[in-house]
Amino acid sequence: MRPRSKDSLHCGPVKLPELAAKWGTPLYVYSADAILARFRMFARAFADQPHLVCYSVKANSSLAILKLLADQGAGFDIVSGGELERVLAVKKAAAARVVFSGVGKTAPELDLALRSGIRIFNVESEGELELLAERAAKQRRKARFALRVNPDVFAETHPYISTGLSAHKFGIAISEARALYARARGMRWLEASGVSVHIGSQIREAGPFGAAAERVAALAAELEQDGDHLRSLDLGGGLGIEYDEGTSWDPEARVLEYATTLRGSLGSLGGRLELLLEPGRFLVAQAGALLTEVLYTKQNGAKRFVITDAGMNDLIRPSLYGAHHAIEPVAAPRREQKTAVVDVVGPVCESGDFFARDRELAAVEAGDLLAILDAGAYGMSLASNYNTRPRPAEVMIEGKKARLVRKRESIADLLKMERV
Ligand SMILES: *Cc1c(COP(=O)(O)O)cnc(C)c1O
């Protein structure tokens, strides 16, 4: 969504101001072609070995995006029964390609997943393993599982999205996993069919993925000696992108290096077992932008503020992680290319409600449109109704056509669940 035509930002042939005029702002806009391009890039990088790309639904759970990927044969990584319902809503048959992660799965969620015939449960505790055995026995259905191991690998990323250290709540200490697999061998309705790991999100180098894969491979080799017949290794998601417009990088080169590193760490297991991969952000982040209109500009002392109609409830990444998003005026530069150093802030009553601080931006005024770029992942899926703000509408662009894939919420939608 970065290319600029003579008079405005556009996505393929579709001009962003036309979308804002038709559907209003704030508005999430996604490019289907960009998502598919990333999906194919991933598939090419792993083409020489058995694998399944299981898109991580929590990155962006829009039904239109799930349908797009399901039609390409993608699998899905889910973390709740609700996410499973979304996958089932777009394609029932895709259940066979679903992996279920998460530290707090409930009995009803396990029941739904068992009934739906998902591919595998990534089990994160001994208690969950026992509950899964019990629910599977009740349905007289075999549950295929992998233990999600915590490899105690450090990955350079924001502390909130790092998951692979023993201090984190995720997974089972890798040193204890073998004993738990041994216990599971005595459970009639469980079948150990893999090992899984996920070390965090927005990791931009291959090294930590390689280190985790090596530990997983060593455990898998021991389990095979112990008598388990493993079918898959799930190496999680987490491959990062570059948000900073000043950093040049090549996504294809990054995913190739990732694939080469994983293959190197897995040795002969890599060619024999199916690799399950769970990219989220890498597939959708850069395919999306949040369009917002400037409501006001103002000067408070030394500070210049640009106040937009989008707020932290629509896109929380800057507030939550201090994340950087490139922001561009949608109209072509004018007014002699003047720029100003500004804070871009939303209308929400929190000082933490900002999209950029001390950012040099082309001069804008009330009524101008801004595009907050790389907002396709962890944008709408983390949106809330804080300040009783309806969540944005979503538009998908396919080739030359743009269509509404989620209506803007109304205030009536927000109030209808309540009773006085
Ligand atoms: C969040 C998550 C992912 C996806 O992470 P990305 O950084 O978006 O690729 C994959 N697997 C699990 C278990 C997750 O929790």
Side-chain angles (χ1 to χ4, degrees):
M1 226 154 291
R2 281 164 195 267
R4 186 178 274 288
S5 72
K6 266 209 326 280
D7 51 356
S8 70
L9 276 182
H10 59 119
C11 174
V14 178
K15 290 181 181 162
L16 299 188
E18 289 168 11
L19 303 182
K22 186 155 182 196
W23 286 297
T25 54
L27 181 71
Y28 273 106
V29 181
Y30 308 122
S31 158
D33 296 343
I35 295 171
L36 292 179
R38 283 295 172 93
F39 178 73
R40 293 188 186 116
M41 210 182 269
F42 230 92
R44 274 199 298 281
F46 287 93
D48 61 354
Q49 58 185 90
H51 76 277
L52 180 65
V53 177
C54 297
Y55 168 64
S56 178
V57 172
K58 77 178 189 291
N60 187 323
S61 52
S62 153
L63 293 180
I65 291 178
L66 301 185
K67 176 75 163 62
L68 185 73
L69 290 169
D71 286 347
Q72 298 294 312
F76 297 95
D77 168 49
I78 59 160
V79 293
S80 71
E83 289 189 347
L84 177 53
E85 299 274 18
R86 283 184 173 273
V87 172
L88 296 175
V90 301
K91 197 172 216 159
K92 275 233 156 51
R97 301 194 297 269
V98 164
V99 306
F100 194 173
S101 305
V103 290
K105 304 180 192 80
T106 63
E109 288 177 320
L110 293 176
D111 288 346
L112 172 66
L114 281 164
R115 268 201 315 280
S116 311
I118 68 160
R119 190 179 208 90
I120 192 165
F121 293 84
N122 288 337
V123 170
E124 302 214 18
S125 65
E126 185 161 13
E128 184 192 331
L129 192 71
E130 287 163 0
L131 183 60
L132 179 61
E134 182 195 309
R135 306 315 298 182
K138 212 164 219 151
Q139 290 192 27
R140 308 188 65 74
R141 253 182 241 263
K142 263 268 185 311
R144 287 173 298 276
F145 78 94
L147 292 187
R148 173 168 171 183
V149 296
N150 188 318
D152 204 19
V153 163
F154 176 71
E156 184 73 53
T157 185
H158 191 279
Y160 291 2
I161 51 175
S162 175
T163 60
L165 279 178
S166 52
H168 299 134
K169 69 177 176 181
F170 297 98
I172 291 161
I174 193 160
S175 54
E176 289 162 26
R178 196 174 177 182
L180 203 48
Y181 277 100
R183 242 200 95 189
R185 263 170 241 131
M187 300 179 174
R188 166 143 166 40
W189 296 98
L190 294 186
E191 178 190 331
S193 80
V195 180
S196 84
V197 74
H198 171 73
I199 57 172
S201 194
Q202 181 53 6
I203 297 165
R204 292 174 300 163
E205 40 184 57
F209 293 114
E214 243 169 61
R215 288 173 200 189
V216 163
L219 173 63
E222 289 175 353
L223 296 174
E224 292 197 323
Q225 280 170 19
D226 293 349
D228 286 326
H229 299 286
L230 303 185
R231 303 186 208 185
S232 59
L233 294 179
D234 183 335
L235 297 175
L239 191 61
I241 64 153
E242 298 299 333
Y243 283 95
D244 196 325
E245 58 274 44
T247 311
S248 80
W249 70 299
D250 174 3
E252 180 120 44
R254 176 161 294 172
V255 72
L256 279 171
E257 189 198 0
Y258 172 72
T260 308
T261 303
L262 293 186
R263 222 174 288 128
S265 302
L266 294 174
S268 63
L269 280 181
R272 201 150 53 67
L273 299 182
E274 180 180 49
L275 284 195
L276 303 178
L277 303 154
E278 304 173 347
R281 186 191 313 269
F282 190 85
L283 300 188
V284 296
Q286 293 181 293
L290 176 59
L291 288 190
T292 180
E293 185 179 321
V294 175
L295 297 176
Y296 304 99
T297 60
K298 74 171 178 182
Q299 186 92 25
N300 275 5
K303 275 267 187 205
R304 192 161 180 76
F305 291 95
V306 170
I307 301 163
T308 61
D309 67 356
M312 65 186 285
N313 69 296
D314 304 306
L315 174 64
I316 203 175
R317 297 189 68 260
S319 307
L320 189 60
Y321 311 123
H324 178 97
H325 281 270
I327 300 177
E328 288 203 26
V330 170
R334 57 201 146 101
R335 303 182 197 109
E336 293 114 33
Q337 306 265 11
K338 263 205 303 210
T339 65
V341 174
V342 299
D343 281 14
V344 180
V345 302
V348 171
C349 296
E350 298 271 347
S351 293
D353 178 26
F354 65 89
F355 295 117
R357 283 185 161 153
D358 298 322
R359 181 81 60 89
E360 185 166 356
L361 202 68
V364 290
E365 55 191 44
D368 286 351
L369 286 175
L370 294 176
I372 304 177
L373 301 182
D374 306 331
Y378 305 105
M380 186 63 170
S381 62
L382 274 163
S384 77
N385 296 118
Y386 188 39
N387 280 202
T388 306
R389 290 169 48 81
R391 284 177 293 174
E394 296 178 293
V395 167
M396 172 90 91
I397 299 173
E398 288 156 306
K400 288 183 218 161
K401 284 213 200 93
R403 70 191 171 91
L404 189 68
V405 295
R406 183 187 162 108
K407 278 165 58 176
R408 184 177 306 284
E409 278 173 341
S410 67
I411 300 293
D413 290 331
L414 269 54
L415 300 190
K416 74 176 176 216
M417 305 299 289
E418 298 187 36
R419 302 289 178 271
V420 285

